[in-house]
Every structure is written in structure tokens, then in C-alpha cells.
């Protein structure tokens, strides 16, 4: 209940859809523990309008968190011509997987393609 | 001089026209392969090291320790296999029988239901060579091969000239993309890109089935009946159509029945086949080998002569419910590919990795065993994404053993 709550970065709901990127996959083949793979994986592509609305800036970092995990990733505006309000795109990687629900309904298949999380500016993280 | 061609093990496409140059016994140049393939065939930047509890160890000691862990475990799981040769997979199945282990592979949480339906003859399939020679309508649904399988369009589906498709993509072929985002493949498909909202695949499958049955197709999102009928008519008019199913479609379906119904309907009014866009180079081989042995493609437990099967035997449920007390991971990196909240369970049990490269999983493993890279350093056979068996030979020599040999040694030690 302290004053700190007023200084926290605001958090917004975001749906995350994962996709494949040939350059990131290539980096994975070279080294799954390498810097290039990390650089190409720890990124979220956001709708330009969303970035403006959420006051998130290109090149800065964001915190993504939900009940299953918390990651810090780079922020970039997406290059899609059409807007995708409320949806962020991430390559499939340990960073996106950190946010995937562990609930499967006993099916053995996690919901890899539909992740919901809160996004906020990572400040100095 | 006749050129010598090799097979790329970078993905389930198993491109068989790879030319290489060697320098000091190592692959220095790779021609014809895609970016991913080149990276796969050249040695990884951080090769795995033989370690026990983080300390350097001899291969002999690592094998003895692996056998000890498996022998002492009450419920071990053997998982991975997508990047293993068929012989290694067969050896792993034998090892699972001998240790009464659970056995699962990556298809368990990706293309498994599709491969299962194909092997049970619920869905018609064809080879990529038939697609090249005959296909006039190619549908990529929830798939972006431009990034996942970069030579899929150029080698087999859209761009090449085929026996019955001499005019190629310019006149003879139509490529359609159905996806939640405008991927690079969707861009190639131009005005034949149909964008749908996330999780709306089942609705569109049902709408297309209705459209092909003479009913008015309706969906709850902004795609009108006219547009759906336009797509349905393109599919109906195909002389030889193929749906290439990606994970975007697989993950959005609770069950594959709507896809099976669409395929059945398409084959009443047209001529359609389906090919799963398998990622790892021999994931399908694991499905075929286990199916031959047990009648199941994945998710089994061996107990004596009995085989138990079901979702409860999947690697995801085994870890979630902490059913297993040891894990042998072969050519896979579940610490990266599984949800973090599930993969973390691996930290609490002894894990053995058999992999050519250093991975997140091998870094946390109790025993890490390095092996030769299949395709560049080790020959064998694999099953391509379309079910065709492909034989490949090694490009270079190495001191490291192949995964099949390592598994044989572990069996011997047991």
C-alpha cells in the first residue's frame, strides 16, 4: 500500500502469438545457448498503435508476465501493414514458452499458440 | 565428373541435392541448402561435452552412469527422437522395453494427431514428388514454410516445373495461405491469402465443408459467405490438391475431426491430399517405427510384453504430474521447447542427454553424452515429412559415435 504502487510502470493485457523465423531458427541450429539466438528470440513485435497507447518505445525492453512465468524482452514495432491491436508476435523460443500455460486438460498438448500476459515497460531491467 | 549429392537433416524436408566442400575434414561450404540447413550441417558453435554432474567425464563412465540411472529408476522416460536416425529410434524402443520405460517423442505435442490419422488411413496423403509433378492447388494452412521449411515451395510445391505442371507457378499452380497473420508465405500467395482470427480454424473448416455441401457457409468473424465460397470453389476445381498442415492449424483444433470431415468432403467433389509440415528431420520416422512395433505412434509405456498408451503417457503429462523419476533425452531440448512451467520438473530428476550440441537441457543434465551430427558426421535413414524413407550418408569423419551406437552401448551395459 506504499507510494511505490504509483511509480510502477502501467501494465496492459496482451495476447501473444508465436511464429517461426528462419534467421532465429538458423541461430538455434548454430547454438541454442548462443547470443544471436537469444537476441532473435527475446523480442516481441507489437502493433504500432498499441506501442503508442501503452507508451512503449522501439528498442526498449518490456516485462511480460502471467501466472506461469515472467520474461524481459526487446520491444519492436511489427512491420505488418494491417493493425493487430492487442496482439503481440514472438518467435517460438524459451522466452515465449516461459509464458505458456501448464494447464493441458490432460491432453498432453500445451496451448503454445495462444498466450495471454501483462506487458509493461521494463524500466532498467 | 559426376556430382556427389548429400541429404540435409535441417528439417523434415530432407533435401537430397546438397553439395558440399570440405576443408581440413570439416564441412566448409554447403551448396543448395537453405540457411537453416547450412547451419545444421556445419558443426554447431558449442558442441556438447561428455560430462557427469557438470564435470568432464569419459564416454565409458558416462555410459556406465546412464545405465545405472536407468536401472535404478522406477519410471524412466525416453524422449526426443525427432533428430535421431531410424536405427537410433529402434534402439531407443528396445531400450525402453528393457527398462520398462515410457517412450514419447516431439510429435506428442505437435503433428502427432495428423501423422496418426494418416497411418490409420483416415486421411489421404501423397508424396512431395507427386505434388511436384501433379499439384495445381496447394494450400498452406497455419504454416509458413518460407521460414520453417525454406525450400518447400521452390523444390516441391509452387515454383518448380513438374511432369504435368510444366508452366509452374505462373500458370499451372495456385498457392493459397490460411493463417492468423500475413506471413512471408502469405505474401507469396498474394490475393489468395485468407486471414482468420486466432482459434478460428475449426469454424472455417466447418464453413468450407458446408460450402462444398451446397449450404451457405457462415463464420462469426469478418469473412462473408461469398469469400468462403470463392475459396471452396478453388478447392473444388483442383485436379490434384494438397493441404500442407502447419502447427497453426494443429494447435487451434481440440480434435482433428473437422479437418478429416473437410478432407472427406473434398474427396467427394475433388481430389485432395494432406501432408503434415513436420519440423524435425526424423520425427515422422519415430512415429513409423513405434507404430510398427506397438500400433501406436507415440505416448507409450512398456511393461514386460504389455504396452500402455494414452495422453497420460505423454512427456507433458508425465512431467506435469511428476510421474517419472529419470529422463533420457535423445536429440531434443525440452528445456527450450516445452512450457517453462512444465520443463522445470526436469530439474528435479536425473536427466541424461544424447546430443551433438550443447543445449539448455544438456547444461542441466546429470549426464551429457556428445554424439555425431546425423547427416554431416553420421549416416542412416530417416522418414521425410511425406512418409518417404530417405537414406543418407555421412559427409565427414568424426571421432564421435552416432546416436544408434551410443544407445547400443547403453543396452550392453544394462
Amino acid at each position: 500500500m506504499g507510494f511505490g504502487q504509483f511509480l510502477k510502470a502501467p501494465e496492459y493485457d496482451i495476447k501473444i502469438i508465436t511464429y517461426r523465423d528462419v534467421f532465429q531458427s538458423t541461430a538455434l541450429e548454430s547454438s541454442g545457448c548462443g547470443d544471436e539466438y537469444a537476441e532473435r528470440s527475446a523480442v516481441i513485435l507489437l502493433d504500432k498503435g498499441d506501442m503508442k497507447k501503452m507508451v512503449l518505445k522501439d528498442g526498449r525492453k518490456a516485462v511480460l508476465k502471467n501466472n506461469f512465468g515472467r520474461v524481459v524482452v526487446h520491444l519492436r514495432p511489427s512491420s505488418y501493414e494491417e493493425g493487430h491491436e492487442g496482439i503481440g508476435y514472438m518467435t517460438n523460443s524459451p522466452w515465449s514458452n516461459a509464458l505458456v500455460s501448464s494447464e493441458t486438460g490432460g491432453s498432453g498438448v500445451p496451448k503454445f499458440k495462444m498466450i495471454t500476459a501483462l506487458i509493461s515497460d521494463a524500466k532498467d531491467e | 565428373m559426376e556430382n556427389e549429392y548429400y541429404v540435409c537433416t535441417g528439417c523434415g524436408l530432407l533435401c537430397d541435392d546438397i553439395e558440399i566442400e570440405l576443408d581440413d575434414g570439416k564441412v566448409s561450404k554447403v551448396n543448395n541448402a537453405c540457411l537453416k540447413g547450412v547451419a545444421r550441417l556445419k558443426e554447431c558453435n558449442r558442441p556438447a561435452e561428455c560430462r557427469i554432474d557438470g564435470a568432464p567425464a569419459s564416454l565409458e563412465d558416462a555410459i556406465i552412469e546412464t545405465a545405472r540411472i536407468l536401472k535404478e529408476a522406477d519410471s524412466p522416460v525416453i524422449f526426443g527422437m525427432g533428430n535421431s536416425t531410424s536405427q537410433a529410434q529402434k534402439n531407443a524402443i528396445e531400450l525402453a522395453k528393457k527398462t520398462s520405460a515410457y517412450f514419447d517423442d516431439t510429435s506428442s505435442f505437435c503433428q502427432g494427431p495428423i501423422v496418426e490419422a494418416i497411418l490409420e488411413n483416415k486421411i489421404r496423403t501423397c508424396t512431395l514428388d507427386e505434388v511436384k509433378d501433379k499439384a495445381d492447388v496447394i494450400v498452406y494452412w497455419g504454416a509458413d514454410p518460407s521460414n520453417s521449411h525454406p525450400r518447400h515451395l521452390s523444390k516441391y510445391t509452387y515454383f518448380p516445373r513438374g511432369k504435368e505442371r510444366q508452366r509452374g507457378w505462373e500458370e499451372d499452380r495456385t498457392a493459397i495461405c490460411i493463417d492468423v497473420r500475413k506471413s512471408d508465405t502469405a505474401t507469396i500467395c498474394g490475393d489468395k491469402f485468407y486471414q482468420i482470427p486466432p482459434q478460428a480454424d475449426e469454424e472455417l473448416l466447418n464453413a468450407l465443408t458446408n460450402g462444398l455441401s451446397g449450404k451457405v457457409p457462415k463464420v462469426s468473424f469478418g469473412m462473408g459467405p461469398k469469400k468462403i465460397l470463392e475459396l471452396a470453389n478453388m478447392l473444388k476445381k483442383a485436379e490434384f490438391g494438397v493441404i500442407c498442415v502447419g502447427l497453426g492449424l494443429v494447435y487451434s483444433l481440440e480434435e482433428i475431426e473437422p479437418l478429416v470431415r473437410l478432407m472427406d468432403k473434398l474427396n467427394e467433389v475433388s481430389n485432395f491430399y494432406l501432408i503434415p509440415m513436420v519440423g524435425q528431420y526424423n520425427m515422422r520416422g519415430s512415429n513409423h517405427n513405434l507404430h510398427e512395433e506397438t500400433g501406436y505412434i507415440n505416448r507409450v509405456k512398456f511393461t514386460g510384453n504389455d504396452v500402455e498408451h494414452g495422453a497420460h503417457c505423454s512427456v507433458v503429462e508425465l512431467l506435469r504430474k511428476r510421474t517419472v523419476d529419470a529422463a533420457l533425452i535423445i536429440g531434443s531440448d525440452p528445456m527450450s521447447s516445452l512450457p517453462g512451467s512444465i520443463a522445470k520438473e526436469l530439474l528435479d530428476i536425473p536427466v541424461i542427454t544424447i546430443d551433438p550440441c550443447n543445449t539448455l537441457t544438456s547444461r542441466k543434465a546429470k549426464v551429457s553424452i556428445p554424439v555425431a551430427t546425423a547427416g554431416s558426421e553420421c549416416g542412416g535413414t530417416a522418414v521425410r515429412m511425406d512418409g518417404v524413407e530417405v537414406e543418407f550418408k555421412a559427409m565427414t569423419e568424426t571421432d564421435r559415435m552416432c546416436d544408434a551406437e551410443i544407445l547400443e552401448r547403453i543396452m550392453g551395459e544394462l
Side-chain angles (χ1 to χ4, degrees):
Chain A
M1 291 298 285
F3 289 103
Q5 63 185 306
F6 304 114
L7 302 173
K8 276 185 187 166
E11 294 172 333
Y12 300 91
D13 289 321
I14 190 97
K15 284 180 180 170
I16 297 165
I17 294 177
T18 56
Y19 69 101
R20 305 274 167 180
D21 173 75
V22 70
F23 299 103
Q24 184 241 12
S25 303
T26 302
L28 173 63
E29 288 293 344
S30 296
S31 175
C33 302
D35 293 341
E36 191 186 349
Y37 180 60
E39 285 290 316
R40 291 186 179 279
S41 300
V43 178
I44 186 164
L45 304 179
L46 290 179
D47 176 78
K48 286 170 196 149
D50 278 350
M51 286 186 77
K52 210 171 170 184
K53 197 167 67 186
M54 298 172 185
V55 202
L56 297 172
K57 295 208 169 65
D58 182 6
R60 283 186 62 86
K61 289 177 188 166
V63 172
L64 298 168
K65 64 177 184 184
N66 60 18
N67 290 340
F68 310 102
R70 180 185 189 276
V71 287
V72 177
V73 297
H74 291 283
L75 280 163
R76 305 238 198 290
S78 79
S79 57
Y80 297 110
E81 290 160 20
E82 297 210 2
H84 48 93
E85 196 182 340
I87 292 176
Y89 294 109
M90 288 180 79
T91 53
N92 189 19
S93 77
W95 282 264
S96 59
N97 283 336
L99 303 166
V100 176
S101 167
S102 58
E103 296 305 317
T104 62
S107 68
V109 185
K111 302 265 182 245
F112 285 107
K113 288 280 179 184
M114 204 58 198
I115 305 163
T116 54
L118 289 170
I119 186 168
S120 60
D121 191 302
K123 301 273 183 189
D124 298 324
E125 282 193 58
Chain B
M1 196 180 109
E2 205 174 308
N3 286 347
E4 194 167 7
Y5 294 108
Y6 292 88
V7 172
C8 174
T9 51
C11 75
L13 209 48
L14 289 169
C15 293
D16 55 1
D17 57 351
I18 307 303
E19 293 176 288
I20 57 157
E21 284 177 33
L22 297 177
D23 185 16
D24 200 19
K26 288 193 171 182
V27 177
S28 58
K29 258 190 181 175
V30 181
N31 295 326
N32 297 339
C34 68
L35 270 178
K36 253 174 86 172
V38 173
R40 168 87 185 172
L41 297 174
K42 288 189 172 178
E43 194 179 22
C44 50
N45 293 345
R46 296 182 195 191
E49 291 160 348
C50 199
R51 288 180 175 270
I52 300 174
D53 291 321
S58 69
L59 181 62
E60 197 55 44
D61 286 345
I63 285 169
I64 291 169
E65 181 65 2
T66 299
R68 187 193 65 77
I69 293 168
L70 292 176
K71 223 185 277 181
E72 287 179 5
D74 290 325
S75 291
V77 59
I78 298 178
F79 170 75
M81 258 61 75
N83 284 317
S84 307
T85 60
S86 288
Q87 188 55 53
Q89 293 167 352
K90 287 174 187 169
N91 291 355
I93 293 169
E94 286 308 311
L95 187 58
K97 281 186 191 170
K98 196 162 185 171
T99 53
S100 295
Y102 289 93
F103 183 95
D104 200 15
D105 72 274
T106 41
S107 71
S108 181
F109 50 89
C110 63
Q111 294 276 5
I114 305 291
V115 177
E116 190 172 39
I118 288 171
L119 290 181
E120 288 176 358
N121 294 318
K122 283 186 188 165
I123 292 181
R124 270 179 109 195
T125 191
C126 65
T127 67
L128 285 164
D129 307 281
E130 286 175 300
V131 173
K132 181 182 173 183
D133 284 337
K134 300 176 182 175
D136 56 341
V137 175
I138 303 110
V139 182
Y140 286 106
W141 196 320
D144 178 20
S146 301
N147 284 285
S148 60
H149 303 79
R151 299 185 71 206
H152 202 266
L153 287 104
S154 61
K155 191 162 162 47
Y156 291 111
T157 62
Y158 186 45
F159 293 114
R161 269 63 174 133
K163 280 181 189 155
E164 295 172 31
R165 301 290 162 210
Q166 283 295 306
R167 295 189 183 90
W169 67 278
E170 296 97 325
E171 292 179 38
D172 273 351
R173 300 194 204 261
T174 302
I176 297 165
C177 182
I178 301 167
D179 210 336
V180 296
R181 67 187 182 97
K182 195 173 183 182
S183 63
D184 292 332
T185 304
T187 303
I188 291 170
C189 294
D191 63 355
K192 304 290 185 295
F193 168 48
Y194 293 82
Q195 188 161 11
I196 58 172
Q199 309 295 305
D201 303 67
E202 185 173 342
E203 257 193 273
L204 186 58
L205 285 168
N206 291 336
L208 283 169
T209 307
N210 285 338
L212 291 164
S213 309
K215 296 175 193 164
V216 178
K218 282 180 189 164
V219 289
S220 63
F221 53 93
M223 195 185 281
K226 198 178 161 189
K227 182 134 180 149
I228 298 170
L229 283 172
E230 168 198 282
L231 174 57
N233 278 333
M234 268 193 287
L235 305 184
K236 193 176 174 180
K237 284 180 188 163
E239 288 174 16
F240 188 111
V242 61
I243 300 182
C244 302
V245 173
L247 288 180
L249 174 56
V250 177
Y251 284 147
S252 86
L253 298 177
E254 290 287 326
E255 50 182 35
I256 64 161
E257 292 316 313
L259 177 61
V260 175
R261 280 198 297 273
L262 176 63
M263 286 300 294
D264 288 346
K265 191 73 219 169
L266 279 169
N267 281 306
E268 277 176 29
V269 299
S270 180
N271 178 34
F272 254 85
Y273 302 84
L274 184 147
I275 293 179
M277 299 293 286
V278 173
Q280 293 174 323
Y281 88 87
N282 201 20
M283 186 209 82
R284 191 150 172 188
S286 181
N287 295 155
H288 283 224
N289 286 320
L290 190 66
H291 191 261
E292 207 168 278
E293 187 73 28
T294 65
Y296 305 111
I297 63 156
N298 54 24
R299 301 176 167 189
V300 296
K301 178 174 183 357
F302 293 98
T303 313
N305 289 327
D306 295 334
V307 181
E308 200 181 321
H309 166 75
H312 65 288
C313 298
S314 69
V315 70
V316 166
E317 300 305 329
L318 292 174
L319 291 176
R320 274 185 72 226
K321 294 180 180 159
R322 300 180 180 180
T323 310
V324 286
D325 56 359
L328 171 60
I329 313 287
I330 307 166
S332 190
D333 185 14
M335 288 295 292
S336 293
S337 58
L338 284 178
S341 51
I342 295 172
K344 73 174 169 50
E345 302 299 340
L346 284 168
L347 301 176
D348 295 334
I349 58 172
V351 171
I352 305 131
T353 55
I354 297 178
D355 206 292
C357 303
N358 191 11
T359 65
L360 274 185
T361 311
S362 73
R363 283 168 68 167
K364 291 287 179 188
K366 183 170 176 59
V367 182
S368 158
I369 302 178
V371 287
T373 303
S376 55
E377 299 171 326
C378 167
T381 56
V383 179
R384 206 167 65 181
M385 62 163 66
D386 57 349
V388 171
E389 190 171 75
V390 176
E391 201 176 335
F392 58 89
K393 58 192 176 215
M395 298 170 177
T396 61
E397 287 182 4
T398 177
D399 294 339
R400 293 191 290 184
M401 290 167 94
C402 296
D403 46 8
E405 291 171 86
I406 297 277
L407 289 163
E408 258 174 40
R409 292 276 300 273
I410 296 169
M411 283 281 278
E413 194 57 40
L414 279 164

